[in-house]
């Protein structure tokens, strides 16, 4: 009975979340058309609404730990579900993502992503896209901010293992920015697939930054174990059995 009620509340939460996306987008559009910074105000407001409504409707509270970067950095984040994106964007001052090119055609999402400076990547021509992105950032053509990349390249279920791709190391090396690793446990409560949203405390944690200038090999040797160990710690804190999932 309790699980059935949680499913019903989850459906209500998901429905209002997408309805709110449309409402916020329409409300903010006149401002965003004339002032690019308004796009950041819009996405911050929407993401804070999702966090608040998740806590109210399904009992899923959220918390941010560590120092949120406000300077020009690369954020290398663990990605388990849509909710870690929501939490990140709610607190990062000027977030911009490396995202699939196909998302540019998504209603609402694609236009706002363009306005906040997200960088579309053609999956079939990833090497060329990376070179163009680095060139744009260096030339000052891309909007300044905190560039968020998911080193595993996709959402990864809680407890699942997937190797980190070298693209994050190339990006870190060529841009010459510090990297801020980010760990999370959100997949314990909000899985990458399915409807059920479980009550609990979802955490996104900003870890100590990795200073610019390391060789790519040394950077890659640090980023994966640091993020994975911290994410495992957060998941264990949430009561998730890491050993059973492996």
């Amino acid at each position: 009975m309790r699980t059935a009620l949680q499913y019903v509340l989850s459906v209500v939460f998901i429905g209002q979340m997408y309805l709110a996306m449309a409402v916020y987008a329409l409300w903010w559009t006149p401002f965003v058309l004339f002032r690019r910074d308004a796009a950041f105000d819009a996405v911050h407001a929407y993401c804070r609404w999702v966090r608040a409504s998740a806590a109210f409707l399904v009992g899923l509270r959220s918390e941010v730990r560590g120092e949120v970067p406000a300077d020009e950095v690369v954020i290398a984040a663990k990605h388990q579900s849509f909710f870690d994106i929501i939490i990140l964007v709610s607190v990062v001052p000027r977030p911009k993502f490396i995202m699939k090119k196909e998302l540019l055609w998504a209603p609402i999402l694609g236009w706002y992503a363009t306005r906040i400076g997200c960088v579309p990547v053609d999956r079939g021509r990833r090497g060329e896209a990376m070179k163009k992105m680095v060139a744009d950032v260096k030339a000052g053509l891309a909007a300044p901010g905190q560039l968020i990349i998911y080193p595993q390249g996709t959402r990864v279920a809680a407890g699942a293992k997937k190797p980190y791709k070298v693209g994050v190391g190339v990006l870190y090396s060529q841009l010459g920015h510090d990297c801020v690793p980010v760990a999370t446990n959100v997949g314990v409560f909000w899985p990458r697939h399915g409807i059920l949203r479980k009550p609990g405390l979802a955490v996104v944690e900003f870890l100590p930054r990795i200073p610019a200038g390391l060789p790519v090999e040394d950077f890659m040797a640090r980023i994966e174990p640091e993020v994975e160990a911290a994410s495992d710690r957060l998941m264990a804190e949430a009561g998730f059995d890491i050993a059973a999932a492996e």
Side-chain angles (χ1 to χ4, degrees):
M1 184 70 175
R2 194 171 181 179
T3 302
L5 176 60
Q6 194 67 27
Y7 266 105
V8 171
L9 292 172
S10 297
V11 170
V12 172
F13 165 71
I14 293 168
Q16 68 81 37
M17 180 182 75
Y18 286 108
L19 176 61
M21 180 184 290
V23 171
Y24 271 80
L26 290 172
W27 173 262
W28 281 97
T29 291
F31 305 100
V32 177
L33 281 170
F34 297 102
R35 188 171 65 88
R36 192 186 194 104
D37 281 354
F40 292 102
D41 297 334
V43 296
H44 286 146
Y46 172 71
C47 290
R48 288 164 187 161
W49 168 261
V50 175
R51 290 180 64 184
S53 60
F56 178 74
L57 288 172
V58 295
L60 179 53
R61 296 170 292 118
S62 51
E63 177 178 293
V64 176
R65 299 177 185 173
E67 183 179 351
V68 180
D71 54 331
E72 195 91 2
V73 296
V74 174
I75 294 176
K78 181 75 173 175
H79 187 23
Q80 294 182 332
S81 78
F82 184 52
F83 201 39
D84 55 65
I85 297 176
I86 291 291
I87 299 172
L88 268 178
V89 173
S90 74
V91 296
V92 172
R94 297 182 68 87
K96 53 183 179 178
F97 290 83
I98 301 216
M99 66 181 199
K100 294 183 293 185
K101 190 176 182 180
E102 294 81 359
L103 290 176
L104 289 176
W105 300 103
I108 302 173
L109 182 63
W111 185 65
Y112 271 86
T114 301
R115 294 298 283 166
I116 66 174
C118 291
V119 181
V121 173
D122 187 338
R123 281 189 165 183
R125 306 170 66 186
R126 190 175 294 270
E128 182 180 326
M130 184 72 72
K131 290 178 183 177
K132 183 180 185 305
M133 181 200 63
V134 172
D136 285 350
V137 172
K138 286 184 175 180
L141 299 178
Q146 296 76 46
L147 184 63
I148 301 169
I149 186 170
Y150 296 112
Q152 291 170 297
T154 187
R155 292 171 297 174
V156 178
K161 299 299 179 185
K162 185 176 177 65
Y164 283 44
K165 298 182 178 182
V166 74
V168 64
V170 173
L171 190 68
Y172 156 85
S173 174
Q174 294 196 26
L175 292 183
H177 298 326
D178 290 355
C179 176
V180 178
V182 173
T184 191
N185 68 356
V186 301
V188 174
F189 310 102
W190 182 321
R192 61 178 185 152
H193 299 301
I195 294 172
L196 184 64
R197 306 292 182 256
K198 300 175 184 177
L201 180 62
V203 179
V204 162
E205 182 174 352
F206 291 87
L207 305 175
R209 65 175 59 203
I210 299 173
L214 291 180
V216 173
E217 295 79 8
D218 293 346
F219 171 81
M220 294 303 297
R222 282 189 60 176
I223 190 71
E224 182 169 354
E226 289 183 14
V227 172
E228 290 301 300
S231 295
D232 286 351
R233 169 176 51 79
L234 293 175
M235 287 188 286
E237 181 183 301
F240 184 78
D241 189 342
I242 302 291
E246 291 178 348

